[in-house]
Amino acid sequence: EFADLFEERGGFDLIIGNPPWIKLEWKESNLLQDFSLIIALRNLSANETSNIRKVLLDNKQIRDAYIYEYELTSSIQGFLNAIQNYDKLSGGSVNLYKNFLPQSWMYGNKKGIIAFIHQENIFDDSNSGQFRAILYPKLRRHYHFINELRLFPEIHHSTVFSLNVYSNNNSSGFDCIFNLYTPNTIDQCYETTNNLLFGLKDDNNNWNVYGHKDRLIHVGNDKLRVFAKLFDDNENVNEARLAVIHAKQLLSVLKKLLFEEKQDIKSFSTLLWTETSAQSNGLIKRVTHYPDIPAETILLGAQIYNTNPLFKCARANSSKNSDYDIVDLRKITDYYLPRCNYSIFTSRDVYRGNLPTLPWGGNYDDTYKIFARKMIDPQGERTLVSCIVPPGISHTDGIRGVAYNDLWMLCYISGLWSSIPYDFIVKTLRKENFTTDTIDMLPIPVTKLDQQIVQRTLMLNALTKYYADLWESVYSEEFKSNSWAKDDKRLSNTKFKMCSRNWSSNNVLKSDFERRQAQIEIDVLVAMALGLTLEELKTIYRIQFSVLKKYENDTWYDQNGRIVFSVKNLGNATYKRPEWNEIKDAKSGTFTRTIIDDTMPGGPIERTIEYVAPFDRCDREQDYEIAWAFFEERFKDKDK
């Protein structure tokens, strides 16, 4: 009866399931570890694995198995990606769940409903545009999940997947809910509830499982047009990638940011050295050392942070990604360079000869650059992490280096990138890496607030004498007339009033409290430059930056502007929770801690840190309000 019914009804009424999420790719280490336990037991580098491979493949039995597995994987990839077999999937990476989709649409009848749980990459893969053009008319519901509550215990807690409902009865538009942790939230979003609108986490720092009507977003051509502009700077709505929008309020913010003016600025970006190949080519060697000059400094992504090129120092015996210590900026010298893990392994001339040449002339080594971490974490405290570094310093491919032909624009753009609004754009992109196409789509607004942004950016980044040329070339006499937007004894306007063309350590920001305030003011200035409202800035922070909000709510400062305690792990620079609980309510007095500091040349040394009570914490939204009122009053007569 089945065949007759199938013909009569034209296919299935309902298809539902969880197709396999298997990305078919060649991973030689999975095979080689069957013959060498060292590969399985140790986290070997690609270079070390390559050396073992050469030895193993001298064995004919291993070589035959190696070639067989490679041929098998390649042939399956070829079959599943062949245009003759799956024409709609041509161009994207091979993942078995994708092949289930066109099959299910074919097996369903004209009004058939297909509901699958599957991975997300068809919605943001740049090579899957043609497939999305077929998929979107069939899509009715898109519910985006993060596995933090272990709905699938066998996969990683941060794995992203989605529940998608399709129909062969094409129509325009589909409902979306993003950042789900439990299916119950879906029902609440469709119901009228009194829940507050939280971001990824609620006020108790738990994953947000509360539904809200503003989280339900209906995506039609109007919103796909915004997403097309966001990802690809075009209006091809049929192939647009799907952005992650937590609430409707953020969509209006995104529209303002995306249709901002883009200035034509000459830039050049590179990932520079791949650790394995650069070592194989004899350019660099893993040697943990303190460099004497910038030209001997090769940084890794873990060593930089937002507006802080001296964030971390490699440990003397550094072998893991966590083997770094936070640098106390108050203790650095004017010529400080952090201990790093790689050294130049060839002559200086040969090394420079392998560095890129800039499109406008000159060597990549000779100019100031923005360094940004390549890997980005949309669920982390910050996603777009960048700072300015002086000439000579180079990097491995954990960092994307970006040079500009105009130093003023370099500082201005660095300030823009350090802000919450720009971080929000990058979070929305759902990318794993910070790429050149992301750089190209970020707006550069024309604004009379640029001088304010540039000065604060310089004060945060130009921490050593190596920035003297940049300071002098960008300096403006207007710097002296600027001031803090907030009254607090830990914020001295002397840094502005005594500012001069010659770089001085007295003009840069080294205290925790000052640096936080400068970043608050940059957030406000950038939001104003982009035409956002105060409420929109606060909404971005409240909804998209739950980890930052958690840290802000439990970070405490002493009367000298030093962080005393933070729920964020700041190493031995702050008290731990048990010690902190004993002193946090002190109304006055001085408290000291003795630590071993190994972040300075000549160390390790014993050092005593002093904290002055009483201690307090900051309210970021309140500080946004104060800064907004200050700048609004100061620049009320100036056009954008």
Side-chain angles (χ1 to χ4, degrees), residues 199-335:
L200 298 185
K201 291 192 172 184
D202 61 24
D203 286 344
N204 296 317
N205 199 42
N206 298 315
W207 295 109
N208 175 20
V209 297
Y210 301 104
H212 192 282
K213 60 182 177 61
D214 287 346
R215 292 186 61 183
L216 178 60
I217 299 171
H218 186 76
V219 176
N221 284 345
D222 56 336
K223 294 181 179 65
L224 288 176
R225 187 169 290 107
V226 174
F227 300 157
K229 183 73 174 176
L230 170 67
F231 286 104
D232 300 305
D233 198 21
N234 61 41
E235 295 190 14
N236 188 353
V237 297
N238 296 327
E239 299 184 5
R241 289 179 265 180
L242 197 60
V244 174
I245 305 296
H246 186 83
K248 293 177 180 177
Q249 291 87 334
L250 296 177
L251 194 60
S252 63
V253 175
L254 201 58
K255 287 179 182 179
K256 287 185 178 181
L257 297 180
L258 293 178
F259 291 91
E260 259 291 344
E261 171 176 5
K262 293 183 177 68
Q263 298 184 53
D264 185 18
I265 307 297
K266 290 184 179 180
S267 65
F268 171 83
S269 78
T270 178
L271 295 176
L272 205 57
W273 305 134
T274 302
E275 293 181 49
T276 302
S277 61
Q279 289 182 84
S280 299
N281 295 335
L283 294 174
I284 64 174
K285 183 178 182 180
R286 191 173 179 92
V287 178
T288 302
H289 70 293
Y290 275 108
D292 293 323
I293 57 175
E296 296 174 356
T297 307
I298 302 174
L299 294 180
L300 301 178
Q303 294 186 262
I304 65 170
Y305 201 63
N306 214 37
T307 67
N308 187 355
L310 303 176
F311 177 51
K312 285 187 176 180
C313 173
R315 292 174 182 165
N317 298 311
S318 180
S319 60
K320 304 189 295 292
N321 292 336
S322 58
D323 286 341
Y324 296 91
D325 292 313
I326 292 176
V327 176
D328 187 342
L329 298 180
R330 297 190 186 205
K331 295 298 178 181
I332 65 173
T333 66
D334 287 356
Y335 292 94

Side-chain angles (χ1 to χ4, degrees), residues 14 122 148 181 313 321 352 617:
L14 176 67
I122 56 170
E148 293 291 353
Y181 302 100
C313 173
N321 292 336
R352 277 179 55 84
R617 53 185 172 173

